[in-house]
Amino acid sequence: MIQKCLFPAAGYGTRFLPATKALPKEMLPILTKPLIHYGVEEALEAKMDTMAFITGRGKRALEDYFDISYELEHQIEGSSKESLLDEIRELMEKCTFTYARQNKMLGLGDAILKGKPLVGDEPFGVILADDLCLNEDGFGVMKQMARVYEKYRCPIIAVMEVPKDEVSKYGIIEGDVINSDLISISNMIEKPQPNEVSSNLAIIGRYILTPDIFDIIENTKPGKNGEVQITDALLTQSKNSMVLAYKFKGLRFDCGSIDGYVEATNYMYKKKFENV
Ligand code: G1P
């Protein structure tokens, strides 16, 4: 069973400035819960109970969110508002939270490498909380992936089809079809131009990685945008052993963009208040 889930959360969230000047983008709420809360719930559903955060400057709100706020709790104790804290209290009881900082923005690969002391020598999940994934009809995406991992015991990357003219926003994978959900990866490119790839299968912010990835990242040179890319490290790994792409079931909202964030908010609002 995979116990730990890494949450790279050091990025600036510039698309949401000025809001993200003093607020981590992972703390932006969809209705009443911040994005990070949904990510932790998803990991917990997959039986991962140790949440390892990679934070950076200006991200202390994340640590405070998963801690007791004595003044607030004292104020609302015994009142009708107290139940509003039930969900976060439940998460806090069930999980352990650990933290490491990335002090230079050197890319997602580097952020994941900063998690090495928190993760140790075990397979682990990775959730990018600004990709909000929901599956009303069944298991959440991380749990779906944990099940695939149990069977294949190799790194698993969540993918979905995107319009061809949007491939340059994502890491794109190519490979051999194993079945309707799984592809054995033979190539992956971070944010390619449409003419550089034959596929439109985009990486979404959910990974199950094995600990040998840390050494590979250490030897991965900066790639796209001068950053150390997890996509490049996984490509190296896929040359020596199997790396699988998994077409997950469910919806994904790109909450790192204003459009996706508003879509997610509308979707959740309808679900909660209009029973759609
Ligand atoms: C990261 C990954 C990219 C992936 C994307 C999913 O990019 O590098 O491969 O497709 O997350 O959201 P970012 O969006 O952080 O630039």
Side-chain angles (χ1 to χ4, degrees), residues 4-21:
K4 292 174 184 161
C5 190
L6 198 66
F7 292 82
Y12 292 127
T14 46
R15 277 182 278 180
F16 283 91
L17 282 171
T20 43
K21 186 168 172 253

Side-chain angles (χ1 to χ4, degrees), residues 2 48 124-125 142 145-146 149 154-156 206-210:
I2 302 176
M48 300 172 185
F124 59 102
M142 193 46 91
M145 293 171 71
Y149 178 81
C154 71
I156 319 282
R206 301 288 182 278
Y207 307 76
I208 287 180
L209 301 179
T210 49

